[in-house]
Amino acid sequence: MSQAPAVGATRGVAPYMEIEIEFRGRKEERTMAEQVFSLMLQQGAMYALDAPIRQSLGSLLDHFKAKHPRRDPERMSRVLQSAMEKNDHIFAREEHDGEVVYMTTRLGRPEGREPDRPLPPRRLHKPPENATPTPRRRAVQRPPMSSFWVSAAIRQMQPARMTPAEAPAPHVAIPTIEEVAIAAVSRKKAPVTKLTLDDGTEIDFRESEEVILAQSGEGVAGVLKEALDRDFRLVSFAGQWFPEDRLEHFSKGRLNEIRRYILEEEIPLSDEIILGDLLFKSPRDPDYALWAFSLNARLLREKKDFEYVGVPGTNLWAVKGLPVIGSRDLKASEIGQDYAYLLEEQEEVEESIVFEHFLTFYEYRHGVLPYDARAQAFFPPAALDDQRSASLRFEIPQHYEAYTVELRYPSGNRGGWLWGLEEMFHNSLVAGAFIIISPTQEPNVFVLQYMATDAQDRRLLVYDERKRRYTFDDVIFYCEVEESLLLSEERFPSLRNSRSMAPSSRKRPADAVAEAFVRIGTKQGQQYRAALVDLLPVANIERPFSMAFLRQVLAEVDVFEPADEEGDYLYAAGEEG
Amino acid sequence: MDADQIRLGETGFEELLDWLQETGRPQTLAVLTYQYVTILRNKVLEEREDEA
């Protein structure tokens, strides 16, 4: 393009193209028009040569006001519009919605060719008839970025705390999201080695196992036990766990064989005896522990036929049909109610290597011992949570005898006791006898001894079952006794021919104490007076009393009151309901 | 792994069961607790060594 410049005109070259443009008007107007053309050329750099490039008057004015803030805006507006009018061979003036818009092209011409409106692709490519419809694509969504990476990215972008002198020059370029994610993966935070438990204790796994267990072993064990008990794949027995599918199998026939064997032996048998005699398993066998665990876990499930009566260290099994252990005169439920007061006695005792005890008349007569606080500290506790009783063996070396004794653990509102010694007590001891029980190497075997003496011939209280009365009889015994507990005729002559209390009255401790007052007390009008040391052995005829329990009954029931003389009590018989 | 990601009774529990099975005999709570602490400790410290 070559054309002679008009007066007051300049020629310019459109950038990137060898095209000469003539700008007309005053110098100020030519400069303004050239700048506007340059701006619009940049705006439409990617347009076709003849595609219209539009720019509004307002936008152009804003541009020049920002570029020349000190110039008068009104004058600048007049110059701009004047420049556009005088260069109408380059710029076309249009109005859209009341707004003045100037248009040109990259060739510097006031007219352009509007591009054709493209048709939607689906209309250009109609699918053939009977064609299988293309399944509609689901919009692909970018997976949401994990909050971990977002927080890591934020941490990465936070400026390091450095002094201005140390701080590097500000980094202008903003990293892309991919760069941030990659940086977060490659630079992990330092691993955390401390775990805080619910109870506030802290486990630092940099410490050794021994230190961790010493500091937090109880808390970890508690949580782990819950998880072990919860897992149906595991079987537990007596504080041990193992996967159920790895246990040895016991058939119904084998269980019947075990039951018959226990019945033949007539005593509860240990897992060791059952495994050795019936399954020929020895404790030296490498799989013995698994066999023993499998046997015990299986028998524990067979609650209809088998009952666990072992103690920690010896697993014993009983079956229905074994010889009954107990008392001839009282049922287990009655004795449990008699010893219910033990549940409330919270006596703190120290563990002892022997169990020393003075027999009361009730214990002597029924062959029982109280499972009181001292007994609980001495005899083995239950090995299982819901265990009802344990089978113990009491050896009497002075007589070369042994007795099977049942320890009934406290349950519900019934106290605990040991029984099965009726024959031994009646053959060798008297009420008031001093006995000593000591443990052996076997956890369920104990040695019962008494302090032997020369023969003593006394008239002592006995119960005549035929007459259902208490009477005195000549008794020769060879054991040390506590005189205060001895029910001799010379001390309590009034007990002769006294009737046994009715079962309903005997259950009430206050009635038993009142009966003791009546039997041995001194009658003063409507009152009976008796000393505490005499009340204790006599009250123990009908039902068990500890000294603490007797004092409690005397203090709490209003028909009893202490007498003026210390150690004596009064019973107001007339006030008895 | 980070210690604060551990859930006692869940994290490492399957490894503990595998170990119990491999021993071939039932184990007490004390033994299981020791082994469980060992498993958790290894999980935490292995990562720490990897980091180093």
Side-chain angles (χ1 to χ4, degrees), chain A residues 294-531:
Chain A
S294 302
L295 173 69
N296 289 315
R298 182 63 198 278
L299 294 184
L300 190 63
R301 289 185 177 181
E302 303 293 325
K303 292 189 183 298
K304 281 177 66 179
D305 295 325
F306 295 89
E307 181 184 1
Y308 183 83
V309 290
V311 295
T314 298
N315 297 314
L316 296 166
W317 292 97
V319 295
K320 285 181 181 175
L322 282 181
V324 177
I325 299 173
S327 166
R328 284 179 298 175
D329 299 330
L330 293 178
K331 297 176 185 173
S333 59
E334 292 174 307
I335 298 181
Q337 288 176 1
D338 288 345
Y339 279 117
Y341 73 90
L342 294 176
L343 299 172
E344 297 175 4
E345 285 191 346
Q346 300 294 331
E347 184 187 357
E348 286 191 11
V349 294
E350 294 180 1
E351 282 193 29
S352 174
I353 57 171
V354 294
F355 180 76
E356 298 175 340
H357 188 70
F358 291 100
L359 290 182
T360 65
F361 188 87
Y362 177 90
E363 294 160 3
Y364 164 79
R365 180 183 167 190
H366 301 295
V368 301
L369 291 173
Y371 190 58
D372 56 13
R374 288 191 309 115
Q376 289 179 30
F378 177 77
F379 290 108
L384 305 181
D385 289 340
D386 56 349
Q387 187 176 344
R388 186 183 67 135
S389 65
S391 178
L392 310 179
R393 194 170 88 239
F394 276 31
E395 294 179 344
I396 319 294
Q398 290 158 300
H399 296 270
Y400 303 102
E401 293 173 340
Y403 293 88
T404 299
V405 173
E406 186 181 32
L407 195 170
R408 285 292 188 104
Y409 292 106
S411 64
N413 59 354
R414 295 177 181 174
W417 74 96
L418 299 94
W419 62 354
L421 293 166
E422 195 172 342
E423 182 183 335
M424 190 271 159
F425 288 173
H426 289 185
N427 290 345
S428 311
L429 304 174
V430 295
F434 178 61
I435 60 170
I436 303 169
I437 300 172
S438 50
T440 66
Q441 296 288 334
E442 297 177 62
N444 67 318
V445 179
F446 295 86
V447 172
L448 189 154
Q449 293 175 289
Y450 58 89
M451 296 187 73
T453 63
D454 293 335
Q456 302 178 62
D457 190 357
R458 306 278 290 269
R459 284 188 66 78
L460 300 178
L461 189 74
V462 293
Y463 182 67
D464 189 331
E465 292 182 10
R466 191 172 54 83
K467 296 180 180 175
R468 294 186 179 180
R469 287 175 181 271
Y470 295 100
T471 183
F472 287 100
D473 199 1
D474 289 321
V475 177
I476 299 174
F477 58 93
Y478 303 84
C479 62
E480 190 69 47
V481 295
E482 169 57 44
E483 279 292 333
S484 66
L485 293 175
L486 201 64
L487 295 168
S488 62
E489 186 174 28
E490 58 195 14
R491 187 179 173 199
F492 301 113
S494 58
L495 290 176
R496 182 187 298 118
N497 288 328
S498 55
R499 284 184 173 276
S500 179
M501 290 181 71
S504 57
S505 300
R506 196 189 65 79
K507 289 178 182 175
R508 294 193 287 269
D511 286 5
V513 175
E515 179 66 18
F517 269 100
V518 172
R519 284 175 177 175
I520 61 159
T522 305
K523 193 169 184 184
Q524 300 171 341
Q526 288 296 314
Q527 286 189 320
Y528 290 88
R529 182 191 188 101

Side-chain angles (χ1 to χ4, degrees), chain A residues 192 207 210 233 241 246, chain B residues 2-3 14 21 27 34 41:
Chain A
V192 179
E207 302 284 358
E210 288 75 13
R233 295 168 295 178
W241 283 265
R246 295 298 174 122
Chain B
D2 283 344
E14 292 303 317
Q21 195 163 297
Q27 301 292 345
Y34 186 96
R41 188 169 175 271

Side-chain angles (χ1 to χ4, degrees), chain A residues 15 17 31 50 81 83 237 295 330 352 363 532 540 552 554:
Chain A
M17 290 178 295
T31 305
D50 55 352
Q81 292 184 59
F237 177 81
L295 173 69
L330 293 178
S352 174
E363 294 160 3
L532 187 63
N540 265 290
Q552 181 188 337
L554 290 170

Side-chain angles (χ1 to χ4, degrees), chain B residues 9-34:
Chain B
E10 294 179 17
T11 308
F13 189 72
E14 292 303 317
E15 288 96 317
L16 181 68
L17 296 195
D18 292 342
W19 175 85
L20 175 59
Q21 195 163 297
E22 285 171 13
T23 62
R25 56 186 303 159
Q27 301 292 345
T28 63
L29 183 62
V31 174
L32 289 168
T33 304
Y34 186 96

